[in-house]
PDB file of all heavy atoms in Angstrom:
ATOM      1  N   LEU C1001      -5.710   3.917   8.919  1.00  0.00           N
ATOM      2  CA  LEU C1001      -6.625   2.880   9.205  1.00  0.00           C
ATOM      3  C   LEU C1001      -6.145   1.965  10.330  1.00  0.00           C
ATOM      4  O   LEU C1001      -6.824   1.616  11.251  1.00  0.00           O
ATOM      5  CB  LEU C1001      -6.968   2.018   7.971  1.00  0.00           C
ATOM      6  CG  LEU C1001      -8.108   0.957   8.094  1.00  0.00           C
ATOM      7  CD1 LEU C1001      -9.403   1.686   8.538  1.00  0.00           C
ATOM      8  CD2 LEU C1001      -8.300   0.240   6.745  1.00  0.00           C
ATOM      9  N   SER C1011       3.459  -2.907   5.702  1.00  0.00           N
ATOM     10  CA  SER C1011       3.645  -2.762   4.222  1.00  0.00           C
ATOM     11  C   SER C1011       4.803  -3.620   3.808  1.00  0.00           C
ATOM     12  O   SER C1011       5.704  -3.960   4.518  1.00  0.00           O
ATOM     13  CB  SER C1011       4.000  -1.275   3.954  1.00  0.00           C
ATOM     14  OG  SER C1011       5.343  -1.030   4.108  1.00  0.00           O
ATOM     15  N   ARG C1029      18.320 -13.430   2.482  1.00  0.00           N
ATOM     16  CA  ARG C1029      17.720 -13.922   1.166  1.00  0.00           C
ATOM     17  C   ARG C1029      17.209 -12.714   0.326  1.00  0.00           C
ATOM     18  O   ARG C1029      17.436 -12.574  -0.858  1.00  0.00           O
ATOM     19  CB  ARG C1029      16.647 -14.891   1.417  1.00  0.00           C
ATOM     20  CG  ARG C1029      17.151 -16.352   1.528  1.00  0.00           C
ATOM     21  CD  ARG C1029      16.080 -17.251   2.029  1.00  0.00           C
ATOM     22  NE  ARG C1029      14.994 -17.424   1.067  1.00  0.00           N
ATOM     23  CZ  ARG C1029      13.726 -17.809   1.467  1.00  0.00           C
ATOM     24  NH1 ARG C1029      13.471 -18.132   2.698  1.00  0.00           N
ATOM     25  NH2 ARG C1029      12.750 -17.937   0.553  1.00  0.00           N
ATOM     26  N   ASP C1046       6.047 -14.457   1.300  1.00  0.00           N
ATOM     27  CA  ASP C1046       5.148 -15.285   2.147  1.00  0.00           C
ATOM     28  C   ASP C1046       5.818 -15.594   3.529  1.00  0.00           C
ATOM     29  O   ASP C1046       5.212 -15.461   4.547  1.00  0.00           O
ATOM     30  CB  ASP C1046       4.802 -16.645   1.457  1.00  0.00           C
ATOM     31  CG  ASP C1046       4.009 -16.476   0.222  1.00  0.00           C
ATOM     32  OD1 ASP C1046       3.351 -15.373   0.038  1.00  0.00           O
ATOM     33  OD2 ASP C1046       4.064 -17.334  -0.620  1.00  0.00           O
ATOM     34  N   ASP C1047       7.121 -15.986   3.483  1.00  0.00           N
ATOM     35  CA  ASP C1047       7.810 -16.331   4.635  1.00  0.00           C
ATOM     36  C   ASP C1047       7.961 -15.077   5.566  1.00  0.00           C
ATOM     37  O   ASP C1047       7.836 -15.149   6.784  1.00  0.00           O
ATOM     38  CB  ASP C1047       9.273 -16.854   4.340  1.00  0.00           C
ATOM     39  CG  ASP C1047       9.181 -18.252   3.748  1.00  0.00           C
ATOM     40  OD1 ASP C1047       8.061 -18.893   3.804  1.00  0.00           O
ATOM     41  OD2 ASP C1047      10.214 -18.686   3.158  1.00  0.00           O
ATOM     42  N   GLN C1073       0.146 -15.599  -3.495  1.00  0.00           N
ATOM     43  CA  GLN C1073       0.416 -14.996  -2.202  1.00  0.00           C
ATOM     44  C   GLN C1073      -0.775 -14.895  -1.416  1.00  0.00           C
ATOM     45  O   GLN C1073      -0.777 -15.181  -0.166  1.00  0.00           O
ATOM     46  CB  GLN C1073       0.998 -13.521  -2.418  1.00  0.00           C
ATOM     47  CG  GLN C1073       2.428 -13.561  -2.871  1.00  0.00           C
ATOM     48  CD  GLN C1073       3.060 -12.148  -2.972  1.00  0.00           C
ATOM     49  OE1 GLN C1073       2.295 -11.124  -2.806  1.00  0.00           O
ATOM     50  NE2 GLN C1073       4.323 -12.008  -3.189  1.00  0.00           N
ATOM     51  N   GLU C1100      -8.055  11.347 -12.551  1.00  0.00           N
ATOM     52  CA  GLU C1100      -7.712  11.863 -11.202  1.00  0.00           C
ATOM     53  C   GLU C1100      -6.344  11.438 -10.730  1.00  0.00           C
ATOM     54  O   GLU C1100      -5.515  12.157 -10.128  1.00  0.00           O
ATOM     55  CB  GLU C1100      -8.766  11.485 -10.157  1.00  0.00           C
ATOM     56  CG  GLU C1100      -8.494  12.091  -8.867  1.00  0.00           C
ATOM     57  CD  GLU C1100      -9.676  12.479  -8.037  1.00  0.00           C
ATOM     58  OE1 GLU C1100     -10.822  12.181  -8.489  1.00  0.00           O
ATOM     59  OE2 GLU C1100      -9.500  12.999  -6.950  1.00  0.00           O
ATOM     60  N   VAL C1113      15.125  18.853   0.029  1.00  0.00           N
ATOM     61  CA  VAL C1113      15.807  19.087   1.313  1.00  0.00           C
ATOM     62  C   VAL C1113      15.025  18.412   2.442  1.00  0.00           C
ATOM     63  O   VAL C1113      15.609  17.589   3.192  1.00  0.00           O
ATOM     64  CB  VAL C1113      16.001  20.554   1.561  1.00  0.00           C
ATOM     65  CG1 VAL C1113      16.591  20.819   2.977  1.00  0.00           C
ATOM     66  CG2 VAL C1113      16.866  21.240   0.448  1.00  0.00           C
ATOM     67  N   LEU C1138      11.524  23.020  -5.714  1.00  0.00           N
ATOM     68  CA  LEU C1138      10.833  21.690  -5.613  1.00  0.00           C
ATOM     69  C   LEU C1138      11.187  20.876  -6.896  1.00  0.00           C
ATOM     70  O   LEU C1138      11.425  21.427  -7.945  1.00  0.00           O
ATOM     71  CB  LEU C1138       9.317  21.897  -5.523  1.00  0.00           C
ATOM     72  CG  LEU C1138       8.908  22.698  -4.325  1.00  0.00           C
ATOM     73  CD1 LEU C1138       7.346  22.893  -4.349  1.00  0.00           C
ATOM     74  CD2 LEU C1138       9.317  22.056  -3.010  1.00  0.00           C
ATOM     75  N   ARG C1141       9.175  14.100  -9.657  1.00  0.00           N
ATOM     76  CA  ARG C1141       9.794  12.818  -9.803  1.00  0.00           C
ATOM     77  C   ARG C1141       9.728  12.411 -11.258  1.00  0.00           C
ATOM     78  O   ARG C1141       8.760  12.701 -11.927  1.00  0.00           O
ATOM     79  CB  ARG C1141       9.020  11.737  -8.997  1.00  0.00           C
ATOM     80  CG  ARG C1141       9.625  11.508  -7.585  1.00  0.00           C
ATOM     81  CD  ARG C1141       8.753  10.600  -6.846  1.00  0.00           C
ATOM     82  NE  ARG C1141       8.273   9.437  -7.552  1.00  0.00           N
ATOM     83  CZ  ARG C1141       7.644   8.399  -7.072  1.00  0.00           C
ATOM     84  NH1 ARG C1141       7.361   8.408  -5.754  1.00  0.00           N
ATOM     85  NH2 ARG C1141       7.329   7.338  -7.808  1.00  0.00           N
ATOM     86  N   LEU C1153      -0.279   2.864 -14.549  1.00  0.00           N
ATOM     87  CA  LEU C1153      -1.660   2.520 -14.209  1.00  0.00           C
ATOM     88  C   LEU C1153      -2.054   1.265 -14.961  1.00  0.00           C
ATOM     89  O   LEU C1153      -2.750   0.406 -14.395  1.00  0.00           O
ATOM     90  CB  LEU C1153      -2.520   3.648 -14.676  1.00  0.00           C
ATOM     91  CG  LEU C1153      -2.951   4.612 -13.589  1.00  0.00           C
ATOM     92  CD1 LEU C1153      -3.793   5.808 -14.160  1.00  0.00           C
ATOM     93  CD2 LEU C1153      -3.790   3.907 -12.563  1.00  0.00           C
ATOM     94  N   LEU C1170     -14.366 -14.698  -3.295  1.00  0.00           N
ATOM     95  CA  LEU C1170     -14.501 -15.137  -1.872  1.00  0.00           C
ATOM     96  C   LEU C1170     -15.466 -14.277  -1.068  1.00  0.00           C
ATOM     97  O   LEU C1170     -15.668 -14.582   0.052  1.00  0.00           O
ATOM     98  CB  LEU C1170     -13.074 -15.131  -1.174  1.00  0.00           C
ATOM     99  CG  LEU C1170     -12.045 -16.026  -1.707  1.00  0.00           C
ATOM    100  CD1 LEU C1170     -10.692 -15.713  -1.068  1.00  0.00           C
ATOM    101  CD2 LEU C1170     -12.421 -17.505  -1.518  1.00  0.00           C
ATOM    102  N   GLY C1171     -16.041 -13.310  -1.746  1.00  0.00           N
ATOM    103  CA  GLY C1171     -16.974 -12.398  -1.059  1.00  0.00           C
ATOM    104  C   GLY C1171     -16.322 -11.457  -0.044  1.00  0.00           C
ATOM    105  O   GLY C1171     -16.949 -10.873   0.779  1.00  0.00           O
ATOM    106  N   LEU C1172     -14.995 -11.256  -0.265  1.00  0.00           N
ATOM    107  CA  LEU C1172     -14.257 -10.433   0.731  1.00  0.00           C
ATOM    108  C   LEU C1172     -13.960  -9.017   0.135  1.00  0.00           C
ATOM    109  O   LEU C1172     -13.410  -8.153   0.917  1.00  0.00           O
ATOM    110  CB  LEU C1172     -12.935 -11.122   1.107  1.00  0.00           C
ATOM    111  CG  LEU C1172     -13.054 -12.391   1.840  1.00  0.00           C
ATOM    112  CD1 LEU C1172     -11.649 -13.063   2.055  1.00  0.00           C
ATOM    113  CD2 LEU C1172     -13.695 -12.169   3.259  1.00  0.00           C
ATOM    114  N   ALA C1191     -15.254   2.925   7.626  1.00  0.00           N
ATOM    115  CA  ALA C1191     -16.663   2.399   7.577  1.00  0.00           C
ATOM    116  C   ALA C1191     -16.674   1.024   6.945  1.00  0.00           C
ATOM    117  O   ALA C1191     -17.303   0.137   7.414  1.00  0.00           O
ATOM    118  CB  ALA C1191     -17.604   3.412   6.837  1.00  0.00           C
ATOM    119  N   ALA C1195     -17.606  -2.427   8.901  1.00  0.00           N
ATOM    120  CA  ALA C1195     -18.678  -3.325   8.457  1.00  0.00           C
ATOM    121  C   ALA C1195     -18.192  -4.747   8.243  1.00  0.00           C
ATOM    122  O   ALA C1195     -18.928  -5.679   8.415  1.00  0.00           O
ATOM    123  CB  ALA C1195     -19.267  -2.808   7.090  1.00  0.00           C
TER     124      ALA C1195
END
Side-chain angles (χ1 to χ4, degrees):
L1001 187 57
S1011 86
R1029 272 169 64 201
D1046 296 338
D1047 291 347
Q1073 285 184 351
E1100 184 148 359
V1113 175
L1138 302 178
R1141 269 174 45 173
L1153 264 175
L1170 294 174
L1172 294 173

